[in-house]
Every structure is written in structure tokens, then in C-alpha cells.
Amino acid sequence: MACLARLRDDTRFLETTFPPDHRRFQIVSATVDEVSCRFLIGTGAGGGDATNEAAVVFTANFSESYPETAPIWFTESDISPIATILEKLSETSKGNYNICKQMRLLITELCQEFRLPIPDEVFRIDEYLHGKNDQMEVDSSDEDPDEFHYEMELTEPSSETQAKEDCDGIDTEHVMTLEKLKQSQRLEFEKGSVSGSVQATDRLMKELRDVYRSSSFKQGIYSVELVNDSLYEWNIKLFKVDSDSALYNDLVAYKKDGFDHILLNCTFKETFPFEPPFVRVIHPVISGGYVLAGGAICMELLTKHGWSSAYGLESLILQIAATLVKGKARIQFGAAKTQYSLARAHQSFRSLIMIHEKNGWFTPPKEDG
């Protein structure tokens, strides 16, 4: 391997610049054979508190022909944009095969992909390269730095077949909703005011399509409405629960008050699906059913500890309906509507998390519902 001394200098620089406690990007280990690093996706993640859900680990292997050839990158992450980013590293110009330049490209692409600020330390790489009489090369394919991300997030399906597959089994009304969302995303991008993150937006679009296709949705068991046309906040109406439950009878009686559903509000962070949504009851006021003060819901599934990025939102909605019945939920007719609020729901949910982090979770016995 040529330039072994330079490689040692580069890896030592990277270890010093991005230590294991860095808030966003960490060098886990570095040798002349390979460098392992960790990118923290969670906005609040940092140091040793990073979880597998909030971090992605990469490894770069150096071949005998390095730096005439690019490092060989791999990761166990199955997030689709990440694979594309790694392909971009291998396809960059020959002048950017140096590991410091590769790291700069990797961090920049990841931060742009997940809508995160680029760490100041990235620009120290430029200073280091300047001291080595070296500099980044600009790829001709990178004349528009946002083109890659725009393609990942906002492009239309590559063919009519793909477009039909995306809308297959979805009613025309909801196809129009999906198209409106795509147009809104495109306008946000053009104005430079993109909200959320690419991975969250892509996943939420997929989940919404799945909901629109589902038999439970089409049978009127529940409905979904986007609050202010935002993909990151859903109002969910539960119309039907187990007909053998007391809650079912309460819903029948609730129609006399002009309502025929339980209204849930579901909000998503830009870290979704690696973190769960926050779900609360808006109305009616409910006793039992694991509904807390303020309307939050006591479910391990809705915590970071119990959540998995593999969970689908329709499954979550149906699980909440089942949990209400299991917990013997009852509608409190005549209760003050002001009992439930977003602030009180967050407060009670935080208290719940603290209690269960200390005492653990348990499954109620079958005789309790």
C-alpha cells in the first residue's frame, strides 16, 4: 500500500477530530487496514447514549492499491438512502479517494440526507488538507449539490408502471391526497424550507399508502386525516371497537352527543421510524383503557424502549384500539373537555416513562382484561 505514513497521519487526525463522544460523528476505531465510524441520526443522541436505532455504523477497508482506488465501504444498515450515499463515495473522482476526503463527503451527505446541521469539525478537514497541500476536488456530477437529495425525496416514479403500483388499491380521493403531498414537498424543496427528514417523509408516505390500501380503513374501522395537510401530524378516528366491550356500547350512546368516534392525535418527529410517534386522545374523556391524565396512552410500544422501526402504523392503530378495550376503557359522559391537552399529555407521559424505567413494564393478568 502506497503512502502508508500519510494514511497513519490521516487516521490519527480523524480520531482526534471525531472522538467517540462527538455529538454527531464518531471514529470508533482506525488502523491502516480499516476505519470504523458511527453517525448519530437522533437529534438528541450523543456519546455513549447512542442506541442502535439512533446510529449507523460504517466501515471503510483499505486495499493494497489505496489511494489509487477508493476505500471499500460497507454497513449493516438497511436504510435505502445510505446505500446510495456509499455508492456515491466509490464513484467520486479519483482525487477524492483519500480517507479524509471520503469522510468529509460521507458526513456532508448524511447530514443533508437527514436534514441535520453539518458539524463545524467537517471544515477542519479542509484546513488539514490545505496543510498537506491537498484539497477536495469538485465532481462534474455535483454541480447542483441538492440534485441528489431532491431525486431521493421528490422525483416522480421512474415509470408509469411504478406510478400505478404506488396507487394500486387506493381510492381516487386518497390518490389525490398523496399527489398533493408530493407537490407540497416539491414546493418546500424549491423554497429551501423542507420540514422533517428524508427518511421520515419517505416512510410516512409509505405508511399512508398502506393505510389507504388496508381493509380496516376501507371498512370504516378507523379513518386518518392530515392536520393542516402535514404528513407529520395525523388525526385518527376510531369508529369501531370490539362489539362485546363496554366501550362499544359507550360509542353507541356517544352518537346522541353528535359523535361516533374516539379521536386520536399522532405526531411524528424527523427521527421516525427510529423513534415512536406521540399518540394521545383528544376526545372523548376516557377512564381506564390505559389512558393517562391529559390523554396520553400507557403503552410500552409507544416508548423508545418498546418501539421498533419495523412496526407499521396501521398495526399500531389497531393495537391502540385493542388496548383501550383490554383496559376496560369507558367514556366519561359530561366530563370537562379541558381535561385533555397536549401539554398535560406530554407531562403525564414523561412521568410514566420515568416510573417504568425504574420499575420495568408488566403485562396485566388475563382476568384484568
Side-chain angles (χ1 to χ4, degrees):
M1 184 188 300
C3 304
L4 191 60
R6 171 64 188 271
L7 179 56
R8 288 196 182 99
D9 288 345
D10 290 347
T11 55
R12 279 196 294 265
F13 166 76
L14 291 171
E15 285 181 301
T16 302
T17 306
F18 300 100
D21 60 351
H22 191 274
R23 66 191 179 282
R24 183 64 63 201
F25 189 80
Q26 305 165 350
I27 299 298
V28 179
S29 63
T31 69
V32 294
D33 296 314
E34 68 175 29
V35 173
S36 180
C37 54
R38 180 188 297 117
F39 180 75
L40 305 183
I41 297 174
T43 55
D49 294 332
T51 63
N52 289 334
E53 291 79 9
V56 180
V57 176
F58 302 90
T59 300
N61 283 335
F62 303 109
S63 67
E64 288 295 326
S65 56
Y66 172 86
E68 295 300 313
T69 58
I72 302 170
W73 289 91
F74 64 90
T75 178
E76 293 184 358
S77 172
D78 59 358
I79 304 174
S80 57
I82 288 180
T84 308
I85 291 174
L86 294 187
E87 288 179 8
K88 192 172 186 181
L89 293 183
S90 64
E91 295 171 357
T92 188
S93 63
K94 183 177 179 180
N96 288 334
Y97 287 167
N98 172 272
I99 186 59
C100 290
K101 298 177 183 181
Q102 292 267 299
M103 288 293 184
R104 191 192 193 288
L105 291 171
L106 176 64
I107 299 169
T108 302
E109 292 288 343
L110 288 169
C111 287
Q112 290 177 345
E113 181 68 38
F114 294 104
R115 298 296 187 265
L116 298 170
I118 297 175
D120 293 338
E121 290 84 356
V122 167
F123 304 104
R124 289 180 55 191
I125 296 177
D126 296 332
E127 298 174 1
Y128 172 80
L129 291 172
H130 180 74
K132 295 285 187 180
N133 295 318
D134 199 355
Q135 63 181 1
M136 296 289 297
E137 290 189 4
V138 178
D139 289 342
S140 60
S141 60
D142 289 338
E143 291 179 358
D144 182 358
D146 290 327
E147 182 179 352
F148 168 70
H149 304 286
Y150 181 80
E151 180 181 358
M152 288 301 301
E153 181 180 10
L154 299 174
T155 52
E156 297 295 326
S158 57
S159 66
E160 291 185 7
T161 300
Q162 182 63 49
K164 290 179 181 179
E165 289 178 355
D166 285 346
C167 298
D168 185 39
I170 302 176
D171 294 341
T172 303
E173 173 189 359
H174 304 307
V175 170
M176 293 176 64
T177 298
L178 294 169
E179 289 301 317
K180 185 177 179 181
L181 284 169
K182 291 180 182 178
Q183 292 174 11
S184 296
Q185 292 165 17
R186 184 177 296 109
L187 289 173
E188 284 184 355
F189 180 86
E190 291 173 352
K191 294 178 180 179
S193 58
V194 178
S195 59
S197 66
V198 172
Q199 102 265 356
T201 297
D202 286 349
R203 178 61 178 269
L204 286 170
M205 286 291 285
K206 174 187 179 300
E207 293 292 340
L208 190 58
R209 286 194 295 268
D210 290 346
V211 162
Y212 287 156
R213 290 190 181 101
S214 73
S215 58
S216 298
F217 178 83
K218 292 180 178 180
Q219 292 168 8
I221 294 176
Y222 68 91
S223 70
V224 169
E225 297 175 359
L226 304 183
V227 179
N228 296 323
D229 295 325
S230 171
L231 192 58
Y232 286 78
E233 183 174 3
W234 298 11
N235 274 347
I236 301 163
K237 295 180 180 178
L238 292 179
F239 294 101
K240 300 177 183 179
V241 296
D242 188 344
S243 58
D244 293 328
S245 66
L247 182 59
Y248 174 87
N249 296 326
D250 284 351
L251 279 171
V252 173
Y254 196 37
K255 290 184 179 180
K256 297 178 181 179
D257 293 338
F259 297 96
D260 59 354
H261 62 272
I262 296 169
L263 180 61
L264 307 174
N265 178 257
C266 187
T267 55
F268 306 89
K269 296 180 180 180
E270 63 180 13
T271 49
F272 180 82
F274 303 104
E275 290 188 21
F278 181 74
V279 184
R280 65 186 179 102
V281 178
I282 295 181
H283 69 70
V285 176
I286 291 176
S287 64
Y290 306 107
V291 178
L292 308 172
I297 301 174
C298 176
M299 287 178 63
E300 186 180 13
L301 180 62
L302 294 174
T303 68
K304 291 182 181 180
H305 175 76
W307 177 257
S308 167
S309 59
Y311 288 140
L313 291 182
E314 186 193 39
S315 297
L316 174 62
I317 293 168
L318 298 178
Q319 183 62 46
I320 290 173
T323 297
L324 292 174
V325 171
K326 182 178 180 179
K328 301 180 180 179
R330 299 299 303 271
I331 294 176
Q332 296 298 292
F333 295 98
K337 296 180 180 179
T338 55
Q339 287 190 35
Y340 288 170
S341 70
L342 179 59
R344 291 190 67 193
H346 274 295
Q347 183 179 8
S348 61
F349 193 73
R350 284 194 294 268
S351 298
L352 167 79
I353 297 300
M354 292 176 63
I355 292 171
H356 285 294
E357 283 181 348
K358 181 178 179 181
N359 301 321
W361 292 82
F362 69 97
T363 303
K366 291 183 179 180
E367 56 268 23
D368 289 345

